[in-house]
């Protein structure tokens, strides 16, 4: 089976333990990777079944030092041209490289697709066919669910709303084309131009968010705890403010449990700001405190904020009791005031990394970020594999949607007829749909009939 | 020879029996007879052949495409409307070429008479008035049909085109008439024969507005609407010069708040809102009651007042179909400007009828479970004269091909609207009468009304409905287009004064360096014809060739994109699923997919992929399964 398109996937579990492998298979595997690889020889010139040392280069920037194996068809796992890239730079770099590969026109492999190709090309024994089919069906279902479930609530609402906007316009155009005596397209170009520009802006915002990995909710669940007025909210604000591309300006975020998503060098933290914890008889406050306590139980990582200008008390001890078996860091806030709590005071009760900060003056925040990075790269706190893949897939779809919408703008500026650019609008609609797992089916006809009064 | 006295009832034998002489039946019977099959066509009334019981026009958006395609294959509808139209208009002319659509007002009576004449002059074809009441089916195969008078007509194949006549009833207010459209006899027995043979029946509904006496209309209160100055024929065989004639006018008027008030006040008297009607109606063709309820924010709705013919005063009130009682109809029509003194000639009514779930059919329009039985038209759950005719010609062709032991003709979605129509009908579960729309055709930039002949006439020739002469003309046309496109792409245009003047005159930016002629054609403000003065070596070409050259150059980018999509589409479309497949054996399919596939038994992987409930992963699994079968067969050899 020749003339297959070229696919890529990360074929090792993503961990920070060192090397991960990206596998690429298909007619263009070797030539495509050549575009981003620089070694002694071009890959098209190296022998089959060799390992080659070089670098992945993108926009003149060295992304990673790699070993690249080349297998020419038919002597490969899939009987197609196969390239395997051994990346050294850890999770984030691997993700980046896969992203670059995809932007070069290679498609992310469906679950089980390498195996499927191996079978269809006669590489795998017939007796294995059954299991190939099982893999395809089960892993696709799993991946689909996973990719939808991982999507941030606010992001998926945003995509739904963008799709509604797009399909309405397509339906309007189609109604006018199908029933020209009822619907008029005079002056419509201007209106559509405005709508498309707005949608492009919003899609661009999502693309920016995807650069930081924050389209998805499976970041590292991080909870900020501390007594009331310890400075938790100010800390959150500082962390959030440092990152301009966060999704918080998308309406609806507050309805999620996640209150802020922050990306620190590409590591995504879902930060939950909790109510201050203290003994209380006030019913409303009690609910808040209980929520904080259960948030701690579910968290991957805890930032414990201590007001260093006030002595530790029973409330602190009860917090320490709750977090001592969790990954955490302790911040001595208000370093700008007179300190009454020292690092040792904390260490007497709990074995913590202690960092002195001033949320008010923004001091010590870099130390906190470095600590988080260290923890992540040492594998002490983890992101997960599928999230990375899903994110790349989503970003790719968003970029395609963006490109289709820009084609619409081009056509509009060139006064192309409506029936031409409605094709690009439909593509944009379709790409967004794939992110939230929606096929098109009869959406358009439904929209036309429900929103526009047609016919005799 | 048998003696006549021994037989109590009539018995005759034909190759093909066609049941119903509406738009589907006529095309089916003509195609069948023209392909050499001895064919008989039954109608409940000789006066209702190719009758138009609703709107008095043929064509319109996407439906015009269908007519052109029927014509390109060698069908009759285009020829017949060219003979009998009284006004003609190209719709959407200001929009892209893919949505230009021809629509002609018909003289209904003449349309019917001309078609009857054509049927009666057709060799191999017998036209007979009788109600078919029963199908004779043995061992899952059609053997013949019986009529009400107990006649038996044996056949090899039968084509059911019963339209809206099956167990039909017409309703307005609390009046229910058990008739077909226009008060004609309904066919009350065939449904039972179908269900006895395990055919699944649905109940659909549609409706029509009142016809008003033209003498009672004050046209001065309406906007007059004229036909096109230059009339374009439907049929590729009609000489345009031969049909330039005086045309009648249509008129535009509107409903108003008063109309809507009357409707709202009387809603309880509408059988739809009173719950008397059981059938599912089409959403694209809502009654005025539906429009007022569902689009309450609209303060008025357009009404098109169209003549029904030259020998009648009747005017069709397009946009105001209704099932209100007679008295309410009078009240509401008379609120409309120009209709204050309207006299109703025929009431508006809703009609309910039996039709089938078309997923019981193969793409050839033959029943999956009854060999030799074909179906076409509204009986298959579609609506519209053109949709019916399109299925009719395909059913007629495929019935003949089956008897000739030839492979069925299946037009796919990338080559015709007919293909889209039939694929949708037999693949998707239609829950309302299906109407063609240009948005249903995903490759519509390629499926234009202007190139229907280029797409389909070759097929019509191979099938045997297009003669040698017409085919040769097409080949010449094709050649001229190709050569001219090639030439235009290679003609260099320099920035000389003549060129610059021409550009400036056409509001186009002057050149600052030489370009190809094709580059200039692509500019939005220019086209092929406008540039003739600067194209010194241009050959003298007919207008239809020039049109093709212009479209193909101007929209080349988009056209190439669609051609690429079509190539992808064809990959799956040409992967045929063997009839013998047992989906129960494909364990890895999800349950829902397995059920749907077992029920619909798609012909190709492509068709399977369009069934709702079958996911891309299921398709992957099917591909692997089919591949596995191939190896197994190889092992057996």
């Amino acid at each position: 089976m020749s003339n297959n398109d070229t696919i890529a996937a990360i074929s090792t579990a993503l961990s920070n333990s060192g090397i991960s492998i990206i596998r690429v298979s298909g007619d263009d595997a070797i030539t495509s990777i050549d575009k981003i690889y620089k070694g002694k020889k071009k890959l098209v010139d190296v022998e089959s079944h060799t390992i080659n040392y070089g670098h992945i280069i993108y926009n003149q920037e060295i992304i990673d030092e790699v070993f690249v194996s080349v297998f020419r068809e038919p002597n490969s796992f899939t009987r197609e041209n196969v390239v395997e890239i051994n990346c050294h730079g850890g999770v984030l770099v691997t993700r980046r490289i896969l992203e670059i590969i995809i932007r070069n026109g290679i498609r992310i492999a469906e679950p089980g697709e390498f195996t499927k190709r191996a079978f269809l090309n006669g590489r795998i024994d017939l007796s294995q066919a059954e299991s190939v089919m099982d893999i395809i069906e089960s892993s696709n279902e799993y991946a689909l669910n996973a990719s939808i479930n991982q999507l941030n609530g606010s992001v998926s609402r945003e995509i739904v709303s963008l799709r509604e906007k797009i399909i309405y316009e397509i339906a309007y155009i189609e109604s006018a084309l199908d029933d020209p005596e009822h619907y008029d397209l005079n002056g419509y170009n201007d209106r559509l131009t405005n709508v498309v520009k707005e949608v492009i802006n919003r899609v661009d915002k999502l693309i920016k968010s995807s650069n930081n990995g924050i389209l998805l909710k499976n970041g590292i669940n991080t909870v900020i705890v501390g007594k009331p007025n310890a400075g938790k909210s100010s800390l959150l604000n500082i962390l959030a403010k440092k990152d301009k591309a966060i999704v918080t300006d998308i309406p609806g975020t507050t309805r999620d449990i996640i209150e802020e998503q922050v990306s620190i060098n590409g590591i995504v933290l879902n930060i939950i700001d909790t109510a201050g914890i203290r003994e209380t008889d006030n019913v409303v406050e009690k609910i808040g405190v209980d929520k904080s306590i259960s948030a701690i139980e579910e968290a991957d990582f805890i930032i414990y904020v201590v007001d260093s200008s006030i002595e530790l008390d029973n409330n602190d001890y009860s917090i320490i009791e709750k977090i001592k078996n969790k990954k955490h860091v302790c911040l001595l806030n208000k370093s700008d005031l007179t300190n009454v709590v020292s690092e040792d005071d904390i260490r007497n009760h709990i074995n913590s990394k202690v960092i002195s900060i001033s949320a008010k003056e923004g001091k010590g925040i870099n130390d906190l970020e470095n600590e988080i990075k260290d923890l992540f790269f040492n594998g002490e706190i983890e992101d997960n594999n599928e999230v990375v893949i899903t994110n790349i897939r989503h970003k790719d779809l968003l970029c395609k949607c963006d490109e289709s919408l820009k084609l619409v703008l081009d056509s509009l500026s060139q006064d192309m007829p409506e029936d031409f650019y409605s094709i690009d609008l439909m593509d944009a609609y379709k790409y967004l749909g794939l992110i939230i797992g929606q096929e098109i089916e009869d959406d358009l006809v439904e929209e036309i009939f429900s929103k526009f009064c047609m016919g005799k | 020879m048998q003696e006549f006295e021994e037989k109590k009832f009539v018995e005759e034998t034909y190759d093909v029996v066609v049941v119903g002489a509406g738009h589907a039946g006529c095309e089916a019977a003509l195609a069948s007879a023209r392909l050499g099959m001895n064919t008989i066509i039954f109608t409940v009334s000789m006066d209702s052949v190719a009758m138009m019981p609703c709107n008095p026009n043929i064509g319109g958006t996407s439906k015009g495409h269908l007519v052109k395609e029927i014509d390109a294959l060698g069908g009759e509808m285009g020829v017949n409307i060219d003979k009998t139209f009284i006004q003609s208009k190209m719709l959407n002319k200001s929009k892209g070429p893919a949505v230009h659509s021809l629509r002609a007002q018909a003289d209904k009576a003449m349309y019917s008479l001309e078609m009857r004449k054509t049927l009666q002059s057709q060799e191999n074809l017998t036209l007979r008035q009788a109600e078919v009441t029963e199908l004779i089916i043995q061992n899952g195969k059609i053997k013949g049909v019986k009529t009400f008078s107990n006649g038996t007509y044996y056949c090899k194949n039968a084509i059911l085109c019963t339209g809206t006549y099956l167990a039909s009833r017409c309703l307005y207010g609390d009046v229910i008439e058990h008739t077909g459209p226009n008060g004609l006899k309904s066919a009350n027995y065939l449904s039972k024969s179908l269900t006895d043979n395990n055919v699944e029946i649905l109940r659909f509904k549609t409706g029509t507005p009142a016809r008003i006496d033209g003498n009672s209309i004050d046209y001065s209160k309406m906007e007059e609407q004229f036909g096109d100055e230059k009339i374009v024929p439907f049929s590729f065989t009609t000489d345009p010069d031969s049909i330039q004639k005086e045309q009648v006018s249509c008129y535009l008027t509107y409903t108003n708040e008063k109309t809507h008030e009357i409707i709202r006040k009387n809603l309880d008297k509408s059988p739809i809102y009173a719950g008397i009607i059981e059938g599912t109606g089409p959403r694209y063709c809502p009654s005025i009651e539906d429009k007022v309820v569902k689009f309450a924010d609209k303060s008025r709705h357009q009404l098109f007042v169209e003549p029904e013919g030259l020998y009648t005063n009747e005017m069709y009130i397009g946009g105001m179909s209704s099932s209100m009682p007679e008295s309410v109809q009078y009240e509401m029509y008379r609120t409309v400007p120009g209709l204050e003194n309207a006299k109703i000639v025929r009431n508006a009514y809703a009609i309910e009828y039996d039709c089938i779930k078309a997923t019981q059919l193969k793409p050839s329009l033959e029943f999956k479970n009854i060999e030799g039985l074909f179906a076409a038209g509204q009986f298959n759950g579609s609506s519209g004269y053109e949709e019916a005719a399109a299925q009719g010609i395909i059913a007629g062709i495929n019935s003949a091909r089956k008897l000739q032991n030839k492979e069925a003709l299946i037009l796919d979605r990338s080559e015709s609207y007919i293909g889209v129509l039939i694929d949708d009908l037999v693949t998707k579960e239609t829950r309302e009468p299906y109407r063609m729309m240009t948005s249903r055709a995903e490759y519509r930039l390629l499926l234009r009304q202007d190139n229907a002949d280029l797409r389909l006439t070759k097929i019509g020739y191979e099938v045997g409905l297009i003669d040698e002469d017409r085919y040769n003309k097409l080949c010449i046309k094709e050649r001229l287009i190709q050569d001219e496109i090639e030439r235009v792409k290679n003609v260099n245009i320099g920035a000389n004064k003549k060129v610059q003047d021409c550009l400036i005159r056409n509001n186009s930016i002057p050149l600052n360096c030489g370009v190809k002629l094709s580059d200039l054609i692509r500019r939005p403000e220019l086209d092929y014809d406008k540039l003739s003065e600067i194209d010194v070596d241009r050959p003298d070409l007919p207008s239809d060739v020039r049109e093709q050259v212009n479209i193909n150059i101007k929209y080349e980018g988009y056209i190439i994109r669609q051609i690429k999509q079509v190539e992808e589409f064809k990959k799956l479309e040409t992967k045929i699923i063997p009839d013998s497949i047992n989906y129960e054996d494909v364990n890895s399919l999800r349950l829902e997919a397995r059920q749907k596939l077992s029920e619909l038994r798609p012909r190709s992987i492509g068709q399977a992929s369009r069934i709702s409930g079958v996911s891309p992963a299921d398709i992957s699994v099917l591909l692997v399964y089919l591949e596995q079968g191939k190896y197994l067969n190889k092992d057996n050899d």
Side-chain angles (χ1 to χ4, degrees), chain A residues 32-49:
Chain A
S32 297
I33 300 304
D34 248 341
K35 289 184 201 150
I36 55 164
Y37 165 83
K38 198 163 170 44
K40 251 190 190 159
K41 280 188 188 171
K42 295 199 91 115
L43 297 175
V44 288
D45 298 326
V46 306
E47 306 256 316
S48 187
H49 296 75

Side-chain angles (χ1 to χ4, degrees), chain A residues 171-222:
Chain A
Y172 185 87
I173 294 171
E174 294 300 337
S175 301
L177 295 180
D178 258 318
D179 205 349
E181 287 159 328
H182 278 80
Y183 290 95
D184 190 5
L185 287 170
N186 275 340
Y188 175 71
N189 274 14
D190 292 341
R191 189 182 101 196
L192 184 64
T193 306
N194 288 334
V195 172
V196 172
K197 279 185 180 157
E198 188 210 319
V199 174
I200 288 180
N201 276 337
R202 286 163 67 182
V203 170
D204 284 349
K205 217 172 259 172
L206 288 173
I207 293 174
K208 269 189 207 145
S209 307
S210 77
N211 285 335
N212 295 302
I214 44 189
L215 285 186
L216 306 175
K217 57 187 168 203
N218 293 49
I220 295 155
N221 290 323
T222 306

Side-chain angles (χ1 to χ4, degrees), chain A residues 134 137 177-178 181 411 424, chain B residues 61 92 302 558 561 588 618:
Chain A
D134 283 343
E137 196 62 87
L177 295 180
D178 258 318
E181 287 159 328
S411 300
D424 295 313
Chain B
T61 54
N92 275 336
Q302 280 178 316
Y558 276 94
R561 260 175 70 192
S588 310
D618 296 318

Side-chain angles (χ1 to χ4, degrees), chain A residues 1 3 116 119-122 126 129-130 132-134 136-137 140-141 173-174 176-183 185 407 411 414-424 427 439 441-442 444-446 448-456, chain B residues 55 61 91-92 95-99 103 283-286 291 295 298 301-302 304 316 319 428 432 435 437-440 444-445 524 555 558 561-562 571 586-590 612 615-618 620-621 623-625 627-628 631-632 635:
Chain A
M1 236 194 214
N3 68 45
K116 174 181 137 196
F119 171 76
L120 289 179
N121 295 331
L126 186 58
E130 203 71 15
V132 173
M133 289 190 269
D134 283 343
I136 294 169
E137 196 62 87
N140 269 291
E141 199 144 337
I173 294 171
E174 294 300 337
L177 295 180
D178 258 318
D179 205 349
E181 287 159 328
H182 278 80
Y183 290 95
L185 287 170
L407 286 176
S411 300
Q414 290 167 30
D415 260 336
M416 282 295 258
E418 297 79 7
D419 45 324
F420 287 84
Y421 56 71
S422 69
I423 294 176
D424 295 313
D427 281 349
E439 301 267 341
E441 309 236 339
D442 288 332
L444 177 57
V445 173
E446 296 290 328
I448 292 175
F449 291 152
S450 66
K451 300 266 169 72
F452 300 95
C453 178
M454 305 271 293
K456 310 199 166 71
Chain B
N55 52 313
T61 54
L91 303 175
N92 275 336
K95 295 165 190 136
V99 292
R103 186 185 64 198
R283 284 172 300 173
Y284 51 78
C285 207
K291 288 185 194 178
F295 300 95
K298 287 213 156 200
H301 292 279
Q302 280 178 316
F304 294 94
Y316 173 89
K428 294 178 181 164
E432 66 186 328
R435 194 198 101 169
M437 298 166 82
T438 65
S439 52
R440 299 196 199 260
R444 74 172 168 205
L445 296 186
Y555 306 113
Y558 276 94
R561 260 175 70 192
Q562 288 236 301
K571 273 187 199 165
V586 195
N587 291 324
S588 310
L589 287 174
R590 287 168 316 117
S612 114
S615 73
D618 296 318
S620 277
V621 165
L623 281 172
V624 171
Y625 181 79
E627 201 62 24
Q628 183 187 15
Y631 293 134
L632 281 175
D635 292 346

Side-chain angles (χ1 to χ4, degrees), chain B residues 492-506 508-511 513 515 520 523 531 533-535:
Chain B
N492 291 305
I493 300 289
N496 60 43
K497 182 161 186 316
K498 192 177 165 197
V499 168
Q500 308 293 43
D501 285 352
C502 170
L503 292 178
I504 291 165
R505 216 174 327 113
N506 284 298
S508 197
I509 302 161
L511 296 176
C513 62
V515 293
L520 287 182
R523 290 189 177 182
L531 294 165
E533 57 181 290
I534 59 168
D535 184 13

Side-chain angles (χ1 to χ4, degrees), chain A residues 182 453 455-456, chain B residues 209 221-223 251-264 286-293 295-305 317-322 329 331-340:
Chain A
H182 278 80
C453 178
K456 310 199 166 71
Chain B
K221 293 187 177 157
M222 304 177 172
E223 281 169 48
Y251 297 87
L252 173 62
T253 184
Y254 298 91
T255 62
N256 51 49
E257 280 302 350
K258 240 161 89 201
T259 326
H260 302 179
E261 190 44 50
I262 290 169
I263 290 166
R264 276 190 285 264
S287 64
I288 190 70
E289 294 92 290
D290 278 345
K291 288 185 194 178
V292 170
V293 171
F295 300 95
D297 54 323
K298 287 213 156 200
S299 59
R300 64 177 201 175
H301 292 279
Q302 280 178 316
L303 299 177
F304 294 94
V305 179
I317 312 298
M320 215 166 162
S321 84
S322 173
Q329 288 189 23
E331 220 183 317
M332 65 189 213
Y333 281 112
R334 284 180 172 170
T335 59
V336 174
L339 300 182
E340 294 85 351

